[in-house]
Amino acid sequence: MAELRLVGIKKVYDKDVVSVKDFNLEIRDKEFLVLVGPSGCGKSTTLRMIAGLEEITEGDLYIGDKRVNDVAPKDRDIAMVFQNYALYPHMDVYNNMAFGLKLRKFKKDEIKKRVDNAAKILGLEELLDRKPKALSGGQRQRVALGRAIVRDAEVFLMDEPLSNLDAKLRVQMRAEIQKLHARLQTTTVYVTHDQTEAMTMATRLVVMKDGIIQQVGEPKEVYDFPNNIFVGGFIGSPAMNFLNGKIEGNHFVMGDVKVEIPEGKLKTLRDQGYVGKDIVLGIRPEDIHDEPLYLKSSPETKFSAHIEVAELMGSEIVLYSKVDDQDFVARVDARFNATAGQTIDFAFNLSKAHFFDKETEERIK
Amino acid sequence: MINQLRKVYSTLIVYNEGKNKLDQNYKWFVTGNHEVIGIHEDELTSKDISLLEAFLVPYNIELPILTEEEEKWRQVIQSKEPTDNAFELDSSFRFVYFFISENQISPNLFNDAIHELFAKRVPILWKNGSEGIIIEKQQDSDENLSYDQIIDVLMSDLYVNINFFVGPFKEDLKEINHHFETLTNDAKTVFGYTNKPVVTYVDAIPYLLIHQTEPELRDEISKTILQEYLDDEDTLKMIETFVQCNLNISETAKELYMHRNSLQYRLDRFLEKTGIDVRQFQHAMPVYLAMLARK
Ligand SMILES: Nc1ncnc2c1ncn2[C@@H]1O[C@H](COP(=O)(O)OP(=O)(O)OP(=O)(O)O)[C@@H](O)[C@H]1O
Ligand SMILES: [Mg+2]
């Protein structure tokens, strides 16, 4: 059983580089927690502080009930998997998995028991005497995971373990890691800068920017209710559209285009004094519609726009267009045959959209 | 500090690199400068020991016994004489400096793990319990791992942070003692300029050049080139990424999670304000050097 608690964690490298600050987070037992954010936001630094590979400048880290700031990494009961998860090239699969335990002077029988067990979980039983050279990419990745599994650790820490793989293998290994987690139920902290990976794998995700947590929540919650413009734009692909405009009466106004705001949202905006002010509308591409039926039932948010580019993605089309000279992207059903060069009607589903403060960029709640 | 301590503890000795064994009659400590010092037990009360442990790291690491080949290398490296023909080489080689930022790793374990990474046993010479060099022979094998990979493998087995400074390949032993000295000194400089865990000699050239220049010149370069951007961390970070992405706009925009138009716009502004167009290599290079000079 392992929960992790990060309390007021801060990391300062050599005097002036503050990489992580004000980091407060409880990671639940058995959770698959994903740290996600753009390059340099402090994901690896956070993970490495949990591992003990980087010193914690300020704050407390608990694994279970124990404060571990001063516990050496090897004594923290963690297993780590990194980006280049390479293997010892001259050892067979068995010994690659066994080696970490050998270094720690485990007994032969115990090593064998653990390696055999890991091999079984990962379907590597037939390959134990192969050298890495004679394995496929996916098999190698599984051996690398096996090297962590044999540790029997309370916590797995993974830093972008799939980022060096080609797209196909990445999808395959993503599923593999999820299966593994379902089976072993080991508390896992997983770092990625890929929001798709974060969305598909996480029980909860932590979105970071500039060393600061922007939002913590279940993937769907973060997707549906982003705390701020950054999170809204970072999670989801194609990204959420952000359109500048003004609240006038019941309407959100972008130049010549006016769309009517649903009552509930309007009340919030009124109550907080946003009427007459510049404000940002955030709307996901799938909440912009062109189906005749939707257009008919939503005349109050309808406007027409010119399609600049149309990308067919199977059953859906991604349309690139402009309203009031501001770019937006819509993801619509391919059945309605929208093509580049046309001017067509669109309607916003504003009940699913959000408004953000133009200054603070926070979602108005 | 050592001299001050020596006034208090007359038996204080500094660990001699050539030796493998720590004298067990001494208590050993690592100083902030990674020097290993010993004080004879007779001179220490338990109160002294707790006091010393409050600001020095206790050290009780045995360095691996040198193999015959390692001993041969140690002699040329420490030689004061010309080393040209000290022994026959069977292939070209390079020194790979390593630094482990954890005082308590067992060098024996590190050696065991390193040997498993190469087809043939590589000589390893420890300078002290946290740094040393690997002497890597040039081998044509497609199975060799990169040093980045080696770090990840070792980190997951040994739970330590490792840095590598990979020297250039050498054909002969000419001035090898000098090469060793420079390389280990350069390594210290290099890791002050970058947070990459693996740096090759080629990567390090700009750092070494800048480091050699007089502080006044460094100051002048960074001020003259960067002008009002001198303290604009955001823009400088953007340009650094742009250089690391081979001046490729799309890649940089992606890396920084920025729209390519706003990247273009900010580069244009930089050009307007400074007259320097970092989209051209001959302009990007001095800006990059000026940023290093600022560090
Ligand atoms: N050893 C170090 N010394 C100084 N600064 C560092 C060091 N390691 C990281 N940093 C800085 O700390 C910040 C956070 O880095 P970190 O590696 O945690 O980011 P990240 O989110 O993992 O990014 P990426 O997606 O690129 O891996 C960056 O500004 C980085 O330059
Ligand atoms: Mg990282």
Side-chain angles (χ1 to χ4, degrees):
Chain A
M1 300 296 103
E3 296 138 19
L4 285 117
R5 225 153 25 101
L6 292 88
V7 185
I9 297 277
K10 180 175 180 180
K11 176 68 187 179
V12 185
Y13 285 105
D14 333 310
K15 296 185 282 286
D16 47 350
V17 192
V18 180
S19 294
V20 173
K21 59 189 155 201
D22 238 345
F23 202 100
N24 290 293
L25 182 68
E26 288 190 22
I27 302 170
R28 301 169 193 150
D29 185 33
K30 303 189 178 136
E31 182 160 42
F32 196 103
L33 185 103
V34 178
L35 300 178
V36 64
S39 183
C41 73
K43 305 177 296 288
S44 297
T45 301
T46 306
L47 194 82
R48 294 166 69 93
M49 285 191 285
I50 297 174
L53 293 170
E54 295 293 347
E55 216 174 301
I56 295 171
T57 314
E58 252 175 53
D60 303 299
L61 170 67
Y62 297 88
I63 299 182
D65 294 332
K66 191 168 169 212
R67 183 177 183 274
V68 295
N69 288 48
D70 305 314
V71 175
K74 66 177 173 41
D75 302 322
R76 289 192 185 187
D77 208 2
I78 50 170
M80 304 182 272
V81 182
F82 299 100
Q83 181 170 358
N84 298 294
Y85 53 115
L87 304 173
Y88 292 93
H90 311 289
M91 277 184 205
D92 61 20
V93 167
Y94 181 93
N95 283 300
N96 257 290
M97 293 201 272
F99 191 65
L101 301 178
K102 279 189 193 163
L103 284 179
R104 297 183 131 203
K105 310 273 186 271
F106 275 70
K107 295 230 171 63
K108 262 218 166 79
D109 321 351
E110 179 64 21
I111 294 179
K112 180 155 182 0
K113 201 174 97 197
R114 291 193 184 191
V115 173
D116 286 345
N117 182 41
K120 203 166 117 207
I121 292 173
L122 294 165
L124 292 168
E125 292 133 303
E126 305 299 312
L127 306 173
L128 286 173
D129 49 13
R130 294 245 189 116
K131 293 272 176 65
K133 199 171 56 173
L135 299 175
S136 73
Q139 290 165 338
R140 265 181 237 168
Q141 297 294 329
R142 275 187 276 148
V143 178
L145 284 177
R147 281 165 43 75
I149 294 174
V150 296
R151 286 294 157 79
D152 224 353
E154 291 271 23
V155 182
F156 280 150
L157 302 177
M158 306 195 187
D159 194 346
E160 312 228 10
L162 307 184
S163 64
N164 281 356
L165 303 181
D166 64 47
K168 190 166 156 241
L169 195 51
R170 200 175 325 158
V171 174
Q172 194 185 322
M173 286 308 296
R174 214 194 270 163
E176 194 98 22
I177 291 178
Q178 282 174 287
K179 265 197 292 187
L180 195 66
H181 179 255
R183 171 151 188 183
L184 299 175
Q185 306 248 312
T186 309
T187 309
T188 303
V189 185
Y190 184 103
V191 164
T192 178
H193 63 268
D194 177 343
Q195 59 87 26
T196 315
E197 221 168 276
M199 288 291 287
T200 51
M201 298 179 86
T203 29
R204 281 192 310 157
L205 49 89
V206 175
V207 185
M208 296 178 68
K209 180 188 172 226
D210 298 336
I212 299 172
I213 296 183
Q214 305 292 308
Q215 188 163 3
V216 183
E218 288 172 15
K220 180 134 179 36
E221 182 187 339
V222 174
Y223 187 81
D224 287 341
F225 299 99
N227 275 352
N228 56 36
I229 288 185
F230 173 78
V231 175
F234 190 78
I235 299 290
S237 173
M240 183 179 257
N241 298 293
F242 296 104
L243 298 164
N244 291 301
K246 240 190 182 66
I247 306 289
E248 283 173 15
N250 298 347
H251 289 85
F252 179 69
V253 182
M254 300 161 285
D256 300 334
V257 176
K258 280 170 122 181
V259 291
E260 192 179 315
I261 305 168
E263 193 46 47
K265 288 207 155 65
L266 190 61
K267 181 170 183 323
T268 314
L269 293 169
R270 276 210 190 104
D271 289 351
Q272 299 188 33
Y274 283 101
V275 175
K277 283 197 184 153
D278 286 333
I279 194 168
V280 180
L281 169 72
I283 183 163
R284 298 228 175 253
E286 63 269 29
D287 298 323
I288 303 177
H289 297 261
D290 74 339
E291 317 90 273
L293 207 61
Y294 193 94
L295 296 175
K296 211 165 157 200
S297 65
S298 312
E300 70 286 354
T301 66
K302 204 169 82 170
F303 61 94
S304 67
H306 179 78
I307 302 172
E308 293 178 349
V309 178
E311 289 173 350
L312 182 62
M313 323 278 277
S315 65
E316 289 173 332
I317 304 187
V318 176
L319 305 176
Y320 294 79
S321 182
K322 278 192 163 109
V323 57
D324 173 38
D325 214 27
Q326 305 183 62
D327 292 320
F328 73 88
V329 177
R331 199 165 86 192
V332 300
D333 197 317
R335 278 180 302 169
F336 303 102
N337 295 321
T339 48
Q342 288 176 326
T343 297
I344 63 165
D345 281 346
F346 288 101
F348 286 165
N349 180 356
L350 284 187
S351 65
K352 288 229 181 151
H354 300 290
F355 290 98
F356 297 90
D357 186 290
K358 198 166 163 61
E359 290 301 310
T360 65
E361 306 202 340
E362 298 287 314
R363 178 164 58 89
I364 300 164
K365 306 176 206 179
Chain B
M1 181 176 72
I2 290 181
N3 285 333
Q4 277 171 308
L5 278 174
R6 192 170 269 137
K7 281 186 197 141
V8 187
Y9 302 107
S10 60
T11 59
L12 186 145
I13 52 176
V14 177
Y15 177 60
N16 175 343
E17 289 164 22
K19 280 200 194 152
N20 306 315
K21 283 269 174 212
L22 295 174
D23 187 332
Q24 291 305 314
N25 296 316
Y26 283 72
K27 270 270 169 208
W28 296 93
F29 301 94
V30 192
T31 69
N33 305 325
H34 300 288
E35 273 167 316
V36 177
I37 58 168
I39 301 171
H40 200 281
E41 278 179 346
D42 292 349
E43 212 179 344
L44 292 170
T45 64
S46 60
K47 204 166 153 193
D48 285 346
I49 293 174
S50 11
L51 196 63
L52 286 168
E53 284 181 354
F55 67 101
L56 298 174
V57 181
Y59 185 87
N60 44 22
I61 289 163
E62 299 268 313
L63 295 183
I65 310 283
L66 297 189
T67 62
E68 215 170 288
E69 196 187 4
E70 286 166 346
E71 180 56 32
K72 208 165 65 179
W73 280 99
R74 187 185 68 79
Q75 281 174 15
V76 272
I77 282 165
Q78 295 188 344
S79 170
K80 302 271 181 279
E81 314 283 305
T83 49
D84 304 26
N85 301 310
F87 54 84
E88 282 289 315
L89 285 170
D90 43 19
S91 64
S92 47
F93 67 92
R94 61 182 173 185
F95 289 161
V96 179
Y97 167 91
F98 60 86
F99 174 73
I100 301 168
S101 56
E102 157 94 18
N103 281 314
Q104 297 296 344
I105 182 194
S106 150
N108 280 304
L109 288 187
F110 180 85
N111 278 17
D112 287 350
I114 290 285
H115 291 317
E116 296 297 343
L117 290 163
F118 293 94
K120 281 208 221 100
R121 214 180 151 86
V122 289
I124 301 174
L125 295 177
W126 287 80
K127 192 160 181 231
N128 55 44
S130 59
E131 57 184 322
I133 56 159
I134 296 169
I135 300 160
E136 184 198 333
K137 313 273 177 66
Q138 191 152 31
Q139 291 162 338
D140 334 297
S141 162
D142 52 357
E143 291 175 37
N144 286 346
L145 300 184
S146 71
Y147 279 93
D148 281 301
Q149 291 175 316
I150 289 179
I151 284 186
D152 282 3
V153 173
L154 294 181
M155 205 152 49
S156 59
D157 279 330
L158 300 169
Y159 294 85
V160 285
N161 250 337
I162 303 170
N163 286 302
F164 285 118
F165 179 41
V166 184
F169 274 107
K170 293 269 172 193
E171 303 292 334
D172 54 45
L173 293 173
K174 218 160 115 194
E175 304 204 335
I176 207 64
N177 41 4
H178 178 67
H179 174 61
F180 172 80
E181 277 300 313
T182 340
L183 191 84
T184 42
N185 287 332
D186 288 350
K188 301 223 163 63
T189 309
V190 163
F191 290 111
Y193 281 92
T194 175
N195 51 40
K196 289 207 192 79
V198 179
V199 180
T200 67
Y201 189 72
V202 176
D203 299 332
I205 297 296
Y207 312 139
L208 297 174
L209 280 177
I210 286 295
H211 194 71
Q212 296 274 316
T213 51
E214 295 294 326
E216 295 78 35
L217 180 57
R218 257 187 265 168
D219 205 42
E220 189 185 313
I221 293 175
S222 57
K223 284 193 179 129
T224 322
I225 302 281
L226 301 178
Q227 304 169 36
E228 66 193 79
Y229 288 93
L230 190 62
D231 296 312
D232 183 343
E233 301 297 334
D234 279 354
T235 304
L236 296 184
K237 163 97 189 158
M238 178 187 85
I239 294 176
E240 191 178 347
T241 311
F242 185 55
V243 170
Q244 280 158 357
C245 293
N246 301 314
L247 313 187
N248 180 321
I249 298 264
S250 318
E251 212 174 298
T252 311
K254 210 172 130 206
E255 182 79 15
L256 292 173
Y257 185 66
M258 226 170 139
H259 198 277
R260 50 173 294 143
N261 290 349
S262 60
L263 177 63
Q264 294 274 19
Y265 170 79
R266 288 176 64 181
L267 294 176
D268 285 340
R269 281 200 41 106
F270 188 85
L271 171 58
E272 252 167 56
K273 300 260 177 180
T274 62
I276 300 175
D277 186 0
V278 289
R279 275 165 284 215
Q280 299 178 32
F281 174 76
Q282 65 271 34
H283 280 181
M285 185 180 56
V287 171
Y288 180 65
L289 290 175
M291 289 194 292
L292 290 179
R294 205 177 62 110
K295 292 204 176 177

